[in-house]
Amino acid sequence: MLKVNLEGERFFNESAPYQFQMNAAAKQPGYLSAMIWTEATMTDKSLEQYHTLGCSCLGFPGIFNGDQAREGVQQRLEEGLVQKADTS
C-alpha cells in the first residue's frame, strides 16, 4: 500500500510508525493523503502483516478480515469516497 499527497507524490515511508504519517500528512497540500492499493492486498493472508487498529483501517473497531475489507471498499466506492482504476 502506497500513500501519496494530492499531487500524487509519495511523502513518507509507509513502514514508519503511524504518528509519522500524521505528522507528514499535516505538512502536505490540503493536509490530506490518499492510499493506493491493489485488490491482492484485500485477503486475509495479506492483511495479517498489517497492524490494522483504530485509524489505520476503514472503520471502527479497526480489526477486519479480507471479506470485511473488500466489503468496506465496495461501500466506499458506492459512496464516492474511493475510486477504482484499471492497472493494465
Side-chain angles (χ1 to χ4, degrees):
M1 298 181 197
L2 177 70
K3 294 222 178 173
V4 296
N5 64 21
L6 297 183
E7 296 173 353
E9 301 167 329
R10 184 173 179 236
F11 61 93
F12 86 110
N13 180 347
E14 293 83 358
S15 296
Y18 185 69
Q19 307 89 294
F20 288 32
Q21 186 225 336
M22 293 294 91
N23 184 46
K27 298 174 183 174
Q28 301 307 308
Y31 311 106
L32 297 170
S33 63
M35 184 166 56
I36 301 170
W37 71 94
T38 67
E39 289 188 39
T41 62
M42 296 294 162
T43 64
D44 291 347
K45 183 173 181 163
S46 179
L47 290 170
E48 286 173 4
Q49 67 185 315
Y50 300 101
H51 189 66
T52 55
L53 298 173
C55 301
S56 65
C57 76
L58 295 171
F60 184 81
I63 302 171
F64 53 61
N65 60 35
D67 288 339
Q68 292 168 322
R70 288 186 297 279
E71 182 180 307
V73 169
Q74 183 59 42
Q75 177 183 346
R76 282 153 184 87
L77 277 166
E78 293 167 8
E79 294 168 351
L81 298 173
V82 170
Q83 293 184 1
K84 186 174 183 176
D86 186 7
T87 58
S88 58

